[in-house]
Amino acid sequence: MQKKSKQPNIVFIMSDDHAAHAMSCYGSRINKTPNLDRIANEGMRLDHCFCTNAICAPSRATILTGLYSHKNGVKTLGDQFDSRQTTIQKLLRENGYQTALIGKWHLGDGGHHDPADCDYWSILPGPGEYHDPVMYEYGIEKKVSGYATDIVTDLSIDWMRDRDKSKPFMLMCHHKAPHRPWDPDEKHAHMYEDIDIPEPVTFHDDYSGKAEAAKEAKMRIDRDLNHRDVKAEPPSGLSQKALKSWYYQRYIKDYLRCVASIDDNVGRILDYLDEEGIADDTIIVYTSDQGFFLGDHGWYDKRFMYEESLKMPFIIRYPRAIKPGSVTKDFALNVDFAPTFLDYAGIEIPHYMQGRSLRPVLEGNTPDDWQTSMYYRYWEHLSVEHQVGAHYGLRTHRYKLIYYYGEALGATDAVDEPRKPEWELFDLEKDPYEMNNVYHDPRYAETVESLKEELYRLKQKVGDEE
Ligand code: CA
């Protein structure tokens, strides 16, 4: 093990439902995020970072444990996390780190569902509130005045300021924003008022090139957003198309206003690290628990294995080891985060963790046997209110194969209503927006066969036997 003095601090900032295509460092067409861009410019941007189950609680449990959903017990939003499991926080704390978790937790409240392995924790119960939220500090309820993104940042900076400076630390700073219902703060409430945000290229997807599961899902911009989401009555007399555009503008502007507040607050953390003189000794990460549809395919929400939802933003700065302005297209998964932090902290990675340290990738030395395919699974078959069919699948650099198996299989929150199983195959090189399912195209028959082999190999390798 490395000496303690070599152990870097780790600041892990995670937002909720922030898609990479709403960050200017990822080429956003719709907003600017100067502070997030600073992390990318001074460190590395990962272009192929994927979650293994695109929904809040499961992704969070995977990040904490380095295990897939079927191994850590949180397959759906209805499964509460058993925090007696070994987590990244516990391992770091046992090895001399001070640890804190501040903000969104969303893995259950009370008893062994609370964060257990932190020197300090203060969480938003359940999904949390944007304005004047209740927080549970060591489980004690407190009402805090202000806006959640500011509060979570204030508490994070206060904690770093008051820490024992003779030890390294790991801070998990977890924002509620920009999760539904997208309530901005006063400061950003009038951004974008006089402009129209561009609509995504797949805005009018009619799902004719997708599985029935895509048609059945209830997350359409023009049909499924409610009054609480858009905070206004739609004008009367609009055509169907104009009404869809109206809903999109209402939704996306509030979403981006919430993102603007995150960006400001990430800037405050960066400034704090500079003022404190610890920026060089601190790994800082910005990510989100999964991606999100920003009107893509006519949708909001996530869950599907399609790119916008599968892809996590992941930018990381560590001046001692990561080259500024670097970019990688190598695969990284949320299951890899915990092993990565342990590696940098010089702590042995437990053999049962299912991910692999990203350290060589981050430092520009990707091993020859690095992963070129990934396994994904969404379990909440047809759960209210979005009704996305359960599926598993494989993504390689070129292809994506998805199997909607059409059963609840007893998963929490899943609805026991069978559907006819169906497959999708997308050729991401020819069809990056996933508009044309080529599973039944005879020209892809051999590709399908070899991808299925790889899918079942990975499924077995990660121990998913259902
Ligand atoms: Ca989320």
Side-chain angles (χ1 to χ4, degrees):
M1 193 192 297
Q2 292 179 11
K3 284 192 184 129
K4 272 183 191 167
S5 60
K6 303 263 188 191
Q7 290 180 308
N9 305 311
I10 301 165
V11 174
F12 179 81
I13 307 174
M14 179 160 66
S15 57
D16 196 337
D17 295 0
H18 186 183
H21 53 309
M23 287 167 65
S24 32
C25 51
Y26 279 100
S28 169
R29 303 156 64 232
I30 56 174
N31 69 333
K32 296 262 182 278
T33 49
N35 292 295
L36 297 173
D37 295 1
R38 225 185 112 188
I39 300 178
N41 293 337
E42 296 170 7
M44 181 178 257
R45 184 187 84 215
L46 280 69
D47 283 357
H48 288 145
C49 183
F50 303 120
C51 58
T52 48
N53 184 356
I55 188 162
C56 308
S59 181
R60 287 156 194 273
T62 289
I63 289 167
L64 289 171
T65 57
L67 298 172
Y68 286 80
S69 303
H70 58 277
K71 292 285 185 190
N72 64 43
V74 184
K75 296 194 281 198
T76 71
L77 283 183
D79 292 324
Q80 299 200 57
F81 182 63
D82 186 337
S83 50
R84 290 170 295 191
Q85 296 182 66
T86 298
T87 62
I88 177 69
Q89 297 271 17
K90 178 182 245 168
L91 291 167
L92 289 169
R93 195 179 183 200
E94 282 170 4
N95 286 277
Y97 272 74
Q98 298 161 87
T99 58
L101 193 147
I102 297 166
K104 182 153 172 176
W105 170 247
H106 207 204
L107 289 167
D109 293 307
H112 58 256
H113 305 305
D114 282 333
D117 305 314
C118 297
D119 293 296
Y120 178 77
W121 59 275
S122 183
I123 57 170
L124 297 157
E129 295 290 334
Y130 275 105
H131 291 283
D132 302 330
V134 165
M135 295 194 76
Y136 289 176
E137 185 181 53
Y138 301 113
I140 312 285
E141 187 175 322
K142 280 190 170 180
K143 180 116 174 146
V144 191
S145 304
Y147 186 65
T149 309
D150 297 331
I151 293 167
V152 167
T153 307
D154 290 344
L155 289 172
S156 295
I157 292 175
D158 288 349
W159 180 77
M160 287 191 285
R161 212 166 251 147
D162 294 342
R163 76 190 193 280
D164 172 356
K165 294 185 182 171
S166 68
K167 292 180 178 175
F169 69 90
M170 194 227 198
L171 164 68
M172 297 185 105
C173 168
H174 291 184
H175 293 297
K176 174 204 170 56
H179 193 278
R180 196 182 188 189
W182 313 296
D183 292 341
D185 64 353
E186 300 264 305
K187 190 177 155 197
H188 301 93
H190 302 288
M191 274 180 100
Y192 310 113
E193 240 168 25
D194 302 323
I195 59 161
D196 279 342
I197 308 289
E199 292 170 358
V201 293
T202 59
F203 192 52
H204 295 293
D205 189 351
D206 64 2
Y207 316 110
S208 57
K210 290 193 172 60
E212 290 298 314
K215 297 184 188 79
E216 184 169 7
K218 289 199 170 13
M219 48 175 78
R220 293 195 200 174
I221 294 281
D222 56 354
R223 202 181 66 181
D224 302 315
L225 286 170
N226 61 40
H227 187 272
R228 177 67 184 86
D229 296 325
V230 297
K231 302 145 194 118
E233 278 304 316
S236 54
L238 293 183
S239 68
Q240 198 63 31
K241 199 176 166 202
L243 189 66
K244 185 173 177 179
S245 295
W246 181 86
Y247 271 106
Y248 171 73
Q249 294 298 328
R250 294 292 307 179
Y251 151 63
I252 200 69
K253 286 181 182 180
D254 274 347
Y255 180 95
L256 295 177
R257 290 163 183 148
C258 292
V259 168
S261 162
I262 293 175
D263 188 68
D264 285 358
N265 277 291
V266 168
R268 292 177 58 212
I269 301 248
L270 291 170
D271 289 345
Y272 170 76
L273 298 177
D274 287 339
E275 284 157 25
E276 184 73 14
I278 54 172
D280 282 353
D281 300 312
T282 302
I283 295 171
I284 181 164
V285 169
Y286 180 82
T287 187
S288 180
D289 54 354
Q290 55 345 263
F292 213 67
F293 298 107
L294 306 177
D296 312 282
H297 307 290
W299 287 329
Y300 61 97
D301 212 69
K302 57 257 183 180
R303 298 161 196 269
F304 278 109
M305 198 189 165
Y306 302 128
E307 287 295 273
E308 297 84 355
S309 155
L310 176 71
K311 187 169 159 180
M312 306 167 85
F314 192 98
I315 47 179
I316 180 166
R317 183 185 77 178
Y318 182 35
R320 298 222 185 275
I322 300 173
K323 211 171 124 206
S326 49
V327 173
T328 184
K329 294 197 182 303
D330 294 328
F331 281 10
L333 308 179
N334 57 355
V335 81
D336 299 324
F337 297 179
T340 304
F341 297 137
L342 292 173
D343 191 357
Y344 272 113
I347 300 165
E348 197 181 332
I349 300 163
H351 64 91
Y352 54 81
M353 276 196 181
Q354 296 182 293
R356 187 170 170 187
S357 169
L358 299 169
R359 187 172 179 173
V361 172
L362 300 172
E363 297 180 5
N365 304 310
T366 303
D368 291 340
D369 65 344
W370 192 253
Q371 55 196 350
T372 53
S373 58
M374 62 84 59
Y375 177 69
Y376 176 89
R377 184 157 187 179
Y378 173 76
W379 295 80
E380 270 190 41
H381 186 63
L382 302 179
S383 64
V384 289
E385 59 186 301
H386 298 296
Q387 302 187 21
V388 173
H391 54 287
Y392 55 77
L394 176 84
R395 193 200 191 283
T396 66
H397 281 279
R398 167 113 190 232
Y399 296 106
K400 189 182 290 175
L401 181 72
I402 307 175
Y403 180 50
Y404 299 89
Y405 51 92
E407 291 179 77
L409 298 176
T412 319
D413 287 355
V415 176
D416 198 9
E417 255 182 58
R419 289 288 180 273
K420 197 173 150 220
E422 42 183 354
W423 289 88
E424 285 180 326
L425 173 68
F426 297 101
D427 182 339
L428 300 173
E429 201 174 281
K430 292 186 179 154
D431 178 26
Y433 294 111
E434 300 168 307
M435 297 293 281
N436 185 25
N437 175 16
V438 293
Y439 180 80
H440 297 288
D441 182 335
R443 285 169 297 182
Y444 286 93
E446 275 178 37
T447 303
V448 164
E449 209 171 304
S450 67
L451 290 172
K452 277 188 183 173
E453 217 170 279
E454 176 64 2
L455 170 65
Y456 291 116
R457 185 189 72 83
L458 278 188
K459 191 170 186 292
Q460 188 175 33
K461 184 183 164 207
V462 303
D464 179 6
E465 286 160 5
E466 271 188 272

